Amino acid sequence: MRDGARAFVPGHVTGLFSIHRDDDPARAGSRGAGLTLTDGVTVSVRPADESVVQLNGERADVPAVAGVLDALGVTARVEAETPLPVGAGFGVSGAMALGAAYAANTVFNCERSENALVRFAHAAEVDAGTGLGDVVAQRHGGAPIRLEPGSPQHNKMDAVPAQTRIEYVTFGDLATDEVIGGDTDTLTAAGTRALSELVQEPTLDRFFRASRKFARESGLLTDRVHEAIADVADTG
C-alpha cells in the first residue's frame, strides 16, 4: 500500500447523444459524440479508516466515487480539484469516479486492468444517474465518438481525427439526472439522427452542426444558449 496517488482526467462536453438502458450498468450507456478538454479534474487518493470525498476543498456527496471505492473494496480519502463548472455538463462526476479508480488502484495495489477500472467508474456513474458516457469518453480523449454504449468490454469507440482550441461559456446548472431521468424518446431519436450524420462525415465542422441540430430537436436548446450560438456564428 502507498501513502497516496494522484490522477488527472479531462473534462468532457457531450454534443449529441442517445440513451440506451440496460439492467447491467456496465452495458448501459449512451451513443454519441463530444469533446474532451484541457481543463479537467485532478483526483488525489489516500488510505483512510472511513471514506470521505472532497471537491475543491469542501466535503461532497459524489455517489459515483463511492461506487468505485465499493467496487475496489477500499476506504479512502478522495480529494478532487477542478476549474470546471460543477453541475453544468462538464463530466466532473465521471472524471472524479475515473480518477478515483486510477489512483485507488495504485494506492491499494489492486492490480486491476485499465478496462476493469473504467468499467467500475462507468457502472458507478450509471448507477448514480449522473452520466451515461462521460467516463468512456474521458478515458479515450480527443473528440470521441461513442458508436455503441457501455463500458470497454461492451462499447465501440471511434473519434474525429482533429484537434482545435475549445472555449466555453456556461449559464448556470443543468443536472444530468434531470436530462436523462425522464421521458427521453424525443432526445434519443434526435441523438440517433445526429450521430448518423456525424459518422458519414466525421469532422469537427459536422460535429458542431450536428450538435446544434440535436440541441434544437431534443428540446435542450434554451433561448440564452441559442443567442450565444448565434453570436459565435456571426463571428465566423
Side-chain angles (χ1 to χ4, degrees):
M1 183 183 298
R2 293 177 50 174
D3 292 337
R6 179 179 296 177
F8 173 82
V9 180
H12 174 250
V13 178
T14 295
L16 54 100
F17 70 101
S18 57
I19 294 174
H20 302 270
R21 305 191 188 282
D22 195 284
D23 291 338
D24 180 357
R27 292 180 178 272
S30 63
R31 302 169 70 223
L35 300 170
T36 57
L37 307 175
T38 301
D39 291 341
V41 183
T42 300
V43 182
S44 300
V45 172
R46 301 199 308 269
D49 294 332
E50 180 181 359
S51 292
V52 175
V53 179
Q54 284 193 332
L55 175 59
N56 290 339
E58 297 185 3
R59 189 156 182 162
D61 179 21
V62 186
V65 173
V68 166
L69 298 180
D70 287 344
L72 290 172
V74 301
T75 57
R77 182 177 184 85
V78 180
E79 298 177 349
E81 298 287 338
T82 183
L84 293 170
V86 177
F90 284 81
V92 171
S93 175
M96 290 179 67
L98 185 56
Y102 284 148
N105 186 63
T106 298
V107 170
F108 296 97
N109 299 320
C110 296
E111 298 181 345
R112 301 283 187 166
S113 71
E114 183 175 5
N115 278 355
L117 296 173
V118 176
R119 183 181 78 245
F120 290 151
H122 172 80
E125 176 98 310
V126 170
D127 278 337
T130 50
L132 293 170
D134 285 325
V135 169
V136 294
Q138 288 161 322
R139 181 270 188 100
H140 191 282
I145 302 174
R146 305 184 305 282
L147 296 173
E148 295 296 340
S151 61
Q153 292 84 349
H154 308 291
N155 69 17
K156 183 179 180 182
M157 301 290 294
D158 205 341
V160 176
Q163 293 183 340
T164 190
R165 176 181 173 87
I166 300 297
E167 298 182 1
Y168 57 83
V169 60
T170 66
F171 303 116
D173 300 346
L174 178 61
T176 298
D177 57 359
E178 295 179 11
V179 176
I180 68 176
D183 183 359
T184 58
D185 289 347
T186 299
L187 183 153
T188 290
T192 299
R193 289 191 296 270
L195 180 60
S196 178
E197 293 178 13
L198 176 61
V199 169
Q200 293 176 24
E201 184 185 316
T203 64
L204 287 177
D205 181 65
R206 176 56 70 94
F207 166 76
F208 285 115
R209 285 188 280 128
S211 296
R212 289 196 295 270
K213 184 177 179 181
F214 165 76
R216 289 194 303 271
E217 295 182 350
S218 66
L220 294 175
L221 186 63
T222 66
D223 290 341
R224 194 172 186 187
V225 172
H226 176 73
E227 291 171 1
I229 292 173
D231 289 342
V232 172
D234 287 344
T235 69

